[in-house]
Amino acid sequence: MSNFKEQDIRPEALMAGQKIAALTDVGRLLTRCGEFITVPCPACGQGASRPRFAKNGMTYVTCTDCETFYVSPRPSPDVLAWFYRDSPNYAYWNQHIFPASETARRQRIFIPRVDRILEICDKYAVPTDALLEVGAGFGTFCAELRSRNVFKRVVGVEPTPGLANTCRERGIETIESPIEQVSFDGADRFDVVVSFEVIEHLFAPTEFVAHILRMLKPGGLIVLTCPNGQGFDIEALGAASSSVDHEHLNYFNPTSLSRLLASCGMDILESFTPGKLDAELVRNAVLTGDASLDDQPLLQRLLIEEWERHGAAFQQFLIERGLSSNLWVVARKPVADAASVKDVS
């Protein structure tokens, strides 16, 4: 396993400012808590749930059917659009953390991510005429993919104004709008649509997937990544996990996210959990006093006392067993008549 460290992508000197920006965001969001809406499970649509925990004024519940956990009540679509448009936290990442960590992020995250996407395209014999990234962020994925000269067209959708402007400055074809307000038809549709760490933020994930499906050519691929609600970091730390924050509304697991995609008419090809930071994130939380392993002597030994000996092997075990908190699902739009498959037109 590589020596990928949390410090590589979250420079310690900048994180105090990020925490202030995030707390400001939480305060903004809670000023409109009266507009929050109670929802059923975002994966399977069932209404039955059990309480999980509360954090930052948000209530988390777990679906009794598919075990997805999620925020309910949650900010309405209008509140979310308002929230992200002027988010101090997103502005801070765009102005400070992303530029400072760009080289490390490109090496540690985006080059391997582009490599994996190209491997997936080759594995499933997908044409490489056009790729759409939904949630292009700082533009690093699109920029790296374009440098490979594999896809003839690479487009990024990014609704946050500051980030969209950064993408345009990098020469990326950018659409500054929520994906639900974007339309591509006929020959303008895409062979591949990717969306990294976006679906967990959304009010209505099923509508999001159905809309993406309409942008895919028949036989095209969708690749989604998000936190794995059954991954080690989240399971071990619970509300103390940095993955559990005010922006993340949906915590799917490999089965439930695959179920959501299948319900929209997609053929599931594979799911896997390639994340490399779970063990270190839990270790760091213990070392800073944000968590304790006093009642878990085996984890205390693996992650603290004998970290240099066992840490890398333990993380590899999580990856191989589908237990990392980073989840990928790959699915294909069927080659079929529109009348026979839901939302494939």
Side-chain angles (χ1 to χ4, degrees):
M1 191 177 73
S2 71
N3 59 346
F4 186 15
K5 304 294 183 184
E6 183 181 12
Q7 167 70 16
D8 294 338
I9 59 173
R10 299 170 188 160
E12 186 175 353
L14 296 174
M15 295 315 293
Q18 186 274 327
K19 289 180 180 179
I20 293 171
L23 288 172
T24 303
D25 257 2
V26 171
R28 291 176 62 241
L29 197 56
L30 294 181
T31 63
R32 299 186 65 174
C33 64
E35 300 170 65
F36 287 13
I37 298 172
T38 300
V39 297
C41 175
C44 69
Q46 298 300 312
S49 63
R50 59 181 182 272
R52 184 139 182 161
F53 49 69
K55 183 179 181 180
N56 293 326
M58 315 281 268
T59 299
Y60 297 77
V61 299
T62 299
C63 175
T64 57
D65 185 4
C66 70
E67 296 297 317
T68 295
F69 78 91
Y70 58 98
V71 172
S72 182
R74 63 178 51 190
S76 69
D78 286 344
V79 171
L80 288 174
W82 162 82
F83 171 75
Y84 284 114
R85 186 168 53 246
D86 297 307
S87 163
N89 189 39
Y90 272 59
Y92 188 89
W93 279 85
N94 187 38
Q95 294 168 13
H96 301 288
I97 297 177
F98 285 149
S101 61
E102 169 75 352
T103 299
R105 285 176 175 271
R106 181 174 174 273
Q107 292 293 327
R108 301 297 192 186
I109 297 176
F110 291 101
I111 288 178
R113 184 175 286 178
V114 168
D115 289 344
R116 191 180 294 272
I117 291 297
L118 294 179
E119 289 168 3
I120 289 170
C121 292
D122 184 62
K123 178 178 181 179
Y124 295 107
V126 177
T128 54
D129 290 325
L131 178 144
L132 176 71
E133 181 184 11
V134 182
F138 200 63
T140 311
F141 174 82
C142 286
E144 176 61 28
L145 182 64
R146 285 196 319 160
S147 74
R148 307 293 184 92
N149 295 314
V150 175
F151 280 88
K152 299 174 184 175
R153 184 186 184 199
V154 176
V155 180
V157 172
E158 178 49 60
T160 304
L163 291 170
N165 186 58
T166 298
C167 289
R168 285 190 291 266
E169 289 175 348
R170 302 181 75 154
I172 297 165
E173 181 181 349
T174 305
I175 300 170
E176 185 180 327
S177 179
I179 189 64
E180 293 81 2
Q181 298 174 18
V182 178
S183 179
F184 292 95
D185 299 309
D188 288 331
R189 289 188 291 181
F190 295 86
D191 303 293
V192 181
V193 177
V194 301
S195 185
F196 305 107
E197 316 301 312
V198 171
I199 196 169
E200 66 268 26
H201 296 256
L202 303 178
F203 179 85
T206 300
E207 293 179 14
F208 172 76
V209 171
H211 194 77
I212 286 178
L213 190 54
R214 290 190 285 270
M215 297 186 180
L216 272 174
K217 297 174 184 177
L221 295 186
I222 180 173
V223 181
L224 298 180
T225 78
C226 63
N228 174 13
Q230 294 180 343
F232 176 70
D233 161 35
I234 295 173
E235 289 278 22
L237 297 177
S241 168
S242 60
S243 293
V244 178
D245 66 26
H246 60 287
E247 297 177 21
H248 295 171
L249 307 179
N250 313 299
Y251 293 83
F252 301 104
N253 55 63
T255 300
S256 69
L257 185 55
S258 296
R259 181 172 173 177
L260 185 160
L261 288 165
S263 75
C264 292
M266 300 292 288
D267 294 331
I268 309 304
L269 300 178
E270 59 180 302
S271 67
F272 49 92
T273 62
K276 297 182 177 181
L277 288 179
D278 298 76
E280 187 193 358
L281 289 170
V282 175
R283 169 182 165 81
N284 288 346
V286 173
L287 294 176
T288 58
D290 294 325
S292 172
L293 296 176
D294 289 345
D295 60 346
Q296 300 184 67
L298 178 59
L299 289 181
Q300 176 76 21
R301 178 180 175 186
L302 291 174
L303 302 181
I304 307 297
E305 297 166 5
E306 299 184 19
W307 170 252
E308 295 300 328
R309 181 179 177 188
H310 297 301
F314 181 64
Q315 184 65 46
Q316 189 62 33
F317 167 84
L318 297 175
I319 292 170
E320 293 172 356
R321 299 301 189 276
L323 296 173
S324 165
S325 294
N326 171 234
L327 169 62
W328 287 53
V329 176
V330 181
R332 188 195 299 272
K333 178 176 179 175
V335 180
D337 293 334
S340 65
V341 180
K342 180 180 176 181
D343 283 322
V344 300
S345 61

